[in-house]
Amino acid sequence: MRRTLSVLGVCAALLFGGAHVATAVTDWSWVGPHTTYDECEQSVQAYRDAGGVAGGCSFRDLPYTAEDGYYFRAWPIP
């Protein structure tokens, strides 16, 4: 159940992410933020289990925003 919710959450983030939707179709996208590294790794695994291609997690300190956290790069699932 948790894995299913994670996959749905990642898919929803890619589909309804606002500005990321335009670039997600043709390019790698950042998926996040996740509050912990373990949460990010679980999300990566769920994304890969759903058939997607994803990189590893890394912490991003985004200037002038409150969206700091762990992100991973993902290619959109066709």
Side-chain angles (χ1 to χ4, degrees):
M1 173 89 171
R2 185 174 184 176
R3 178 176 286 176
T4 303
L5 291 176
S6 295
V7 171
L8 292 174
V10 169
C11 292
L14 288 175
L15 291 175
F16 302 112
H20 294 289
V21 173
T23 60
V25 174
T26 60
D27 201 2
W28 289 86
S29 299
W30 286 105
V31 179
H34 302 285
T35 54
T36 65
Y37 182 81
D38 290 335
E39 179 184 318
C40 182
E41 283 294 318
Q42 289 174 356
S43 186
V44 168
Q45 189 59 47
Y47 192 80
R48 289 177 180 159
D49 290 345
V53 176
C57 294
S58 61
F59 188 83
R60 294 186 70 201
D61 183 11
L62 302 173
Y64 311 111
T65 69
E67 297 181 4
D68 298 344
Y70 292 93
Y71 288 79
F72 66 93
R73 299 282 282 184
W75 189 260
I77 297 174

